[in-house]
Structures are given as C-alpha cells and as structure tokens.
Amino acid sequence: MNELWCDSGRGFHPASAPDFLPVEQLRDLQLRRLRSVVQRSYDQVKLFRERMEARNLLPADIQRLEDIKRLPFYEKSDLRDTYPFGLFASPMQEIVRLHASSGTTGKPIVVAYTQEDIDVWSNVMVRSFASCGLHRGDIIQNAYGYGLFTGGLGAHYGAEALGATVIPISGGNTQRQIMILKDFSVTAICCTPSYFLHILDQSAEMKINIKDLPLRVGVFGAEPWTEGMRERIQAESNIEAYDIYGLSEIIGPGVAIECHKHSGLHIFEDVFYPEIVNIHTGEPVPEGAEGELVLTTLTKQAMPMIRYRTHDITRLCRERCACGRTIARIERIARRSDDMLIIRGVNLYPSQIESALLKVEGTLPHYQLILKRDKGLDQVEVDVEVTSEFFSDKISAMEDLQQKLSHAIENTTGLRVDVRLVQPHTIARSEGKAKRVIDKRNL
Ligand code: DLL
C-alpha cells in the first residue's frame, strides 16, 4: 500500500487510491483516456468531427497530453444549439439518466449518463466524501435539491457507495431539516453554503443550538462563497466546512473538493483534465496564473466534453499537498468570467462585496446587489442584513455602520456604492443557489 496514502490519516477509503497515484502513472492514464475520448467523440459526435476536420486534425494527432491544446473548445452555447440530444455519443439504449440545468434564460441544457458514467460519478463522490473525513457509519443529510439538478442524486449515490447512511431530504422545509438533524443524530450535511446559513438562523429561532448536535462536517458548494463565510459558519456551528465544486456539463458535484488542509480543491485529474486559459484569448496562461478553468472529461461515455469552457475563474496548483494527494488543486472559485459586472467602468464581482461585508462587525452574510440606472449612470445598492442588536433606534449607530460598510466596499472594489441596512430575514432565502444580484437596469 502506498505510504503517503496512509499518511493522509483521515478520510481513507480504498476508492480514493487514484488521488495518490505517482504523477508519471497519472499522466500515462490521462493520455490513454484522452486519446480514447477524442476518438469516441470524433466517431460519434457530428459537431466535434466537423470542428476537427475544419482544423485538419485527426484523433491520431493527439500523441502527448500537450496536444490537447490543438483541440477545439466546447462552449455552453454548443449545448444550447444542439438541444436536447445533439452532443450525445451513446445511443439512447445505453443512456440510463438525464439531468438538466435551468440556466437563466430559455431552454435548459441537457446532460446524459450511461451506467458506466454513473459509476464514475459515484466513485468521485466517494472520494469527495472520503476527503472530508466521512466514512461508513456517518449519517449524511443530503439537502441538495433532488430532481433535474445534479446536486441531490450525485451526492446521494456517492454517499451510498461510501457505505454511509444517506437521508434524501432534498432542499427546503427548513424546520423539518433541523428536526431531523437533531433527532437522527446527523453527522454531515450537504447543501449550498447560503442554505446552511439559513438553517443556522432558523435553528436559533427554534432554540436549537447546532453546536450541541453530533453534526461535524458540511459539504458545501454549487455557488461561490468566501473564507469569511467559512469562518462564520464554522464559528456558529462548530462543524468543519468543506468546499465542493462541480458542474452539470462535466458530471455534477464531485469534480473537485478540499481535503482537511483546506488549501485549495483537489481536482480528480484521472477523470477530469484541467487547463487554465486566458478568458479573452483562450490561450494557456503561465503555470499558477489565474484564468478560466477548461475541463475535459476523460472517461465520459454518454456525453464527453472536450475542452469545455467553464467560465469559472481559478488557478491550478501542481505542488504536492501536505495531505499526500498527488492530484492537482484548484483555488476556491470566487467568481465567473460572466458574473462580472462593469459599473461605471469598474469591474465588480459579487464575492468581493461578500468579503468586504464580512470584515465589518454587526453584518450578517445575507446580502443582495441591486443594479439601477439613474440618468444613464449605473448605480449599485447593496442591501445587507444587520444583527438585531445593531439594528437599533439609534440613528447615529446605524449611520456609523453604514459608513464603515461603504468604506470597506470601496477599499475592496474601488467603487462607491449605496449601502442599505435591512433587518434580519428581509432578504429572500434560497433553498439552493443564492440570488446575489437583482438587475433593474433594463426593466
Ligand atoms: O452546481 C453542481 C454542484 C452541486 C456542485 C452540488 C457542488 C455541489 P450547476 O448547477 O451546473 O452544477 O452549476 C455549476 O456552479 O460552473 C460554478 O460557477 C458554480 N459552482 C459550483 N460549485 C461551486 C463552488 C452544480 N464550490 C456552476 N464554488 C459552476 C463556486 C461553484 N462556484
């Protein structure tokens, strides 16, 4: 048995073996899989074949991993343009599951899985849970939404394959969530970080202290969140909060996850090949530099994605992690290239507001950006909830807090925004992904 594998201490599970592969072996495996997925896509997917032909490329031209750069990108628009089944590489007889992601406009994008794809997905989810120190005997409350969203079923099958006990509660009905957390002695919860905050708020109202429960791990993802948010969550609940990343187009949850060192998310490189490219040119960035994550599914049968542009901004770190895993890490994803708001010429990301707000005492991590246009000029209003102690009648105290927040935001973003303090529970809560921006400019 690999020594490093044992050294990692916590979260050991046999399925996590590929996390600790010697790097040369990992590269060999990646190349073999890359060549096979390129061949499969070329043979089965018209759009891919046409793009290869337009570049005078044959699958056999992929001789080394670096050759991946010669391949065309896939974009989200390709999934929309070929809606619903145009990118499938397996006949329907072999497809056992479809999921869809709603997106903000129009038709959803559809993704497909063969049984083999589902098994790979369960495998990466087992490795994800193992990385959070979970194992057989743990009771996992799965509050990701079940349905077309990949979060619920993805985590569900992974938890079962791990040998843990899964509670398929899905999102919503927060009071029942809290009752079950307590009565079933739940040890881990899966949901979006913003929904967990809501659970914390509600439990305080129900006079249940989450700190008194056996809950010890949170597997949080599906939306950007900050270190400040992690600190709040951990301080208020005494659990260890892990960041899990994934996207429907690639598989769902389980593309990358933190280990107990919490220094980046390990990407399951034997299954998903990562590249980082310049968001404008699509050219590779220097090693370690920030850019857009591009992913290739190395094993997907039903719907392989080759060089899929995720629009998620991160960097890649190939340095060996202290946990012993040899697979690369990506930095926490705080923003998407298409999340960027340009306000009076300044680039603004919602997560910058979150980091600024959480530095100021008295604020709650519930906020929303309202975009308005006044005489042709864009204005941003930041609505932020403040604790009931701070929400006082003393106008001076409130003004003081408002000033502090405006300064903190200006220091972080370079933008002057209007801050509006609102009472706790004023901002609508979501059972899934939080809605951080309301754009009233084009109404
Ligand atoms: O959100 C899959 C998922 C479910 C991941 C449960 C983790 C947990 P989609 O709905 O297709 O899939 O949304 C994918 O969400 O491209 C990111 O922009 C964002 N995202 C997902 N996880 C994280 C994360 C699921 N940990 C899109 N941090 C991705 C930041 C995240 N953003």
Side-chain angles (χ1 to χ4, degrees), residues 76 100-103 109 121 125 144 149-152 155 191-193 219-225 242-256 265 308 310-313 332-336 338-339 433:
K76 192 174 231 146
S101 129
S102 53
I109 56 149
W121 192 8
M125 279 309 300
Y144 283 122
F149 177 56
T150 54
C191 60
T192 58
V219 186
F220 301 131
E223 63 182 8
W225 53 307
Y242 287 83
D243 191 358
I244 182 167
Y245 167 77
L247 62 165
S248 320
E249 297 89 317
I250 296 301
I251 205 155
V255 172
L265 287 78
Y308 181 70
T310 65
H311 289 281
D312 290 321
I313 308 288
R332 161 195 286 283
I333 287 164
R335 58 200 173 93
R336 294 176 51 84
D338 49 7
D339 249 6
K433 299 177 193 252

Side-chain angles (χ1 to χ4, degrees), residues 25-42:
Q25 268 183 44
L26 180 62
R27 299 285 168 255
D28 283 351
L29 181 64
Q30 286 176 319
L31 178 59
R32 245 183 303 129
R33 289 182 168 172
L34 175 65
R35 297 186 64 179
S36 143
V37 79
V38 168
Q39 184 71 56
R40 181 180 182 83
S41 297
Y42 187 86

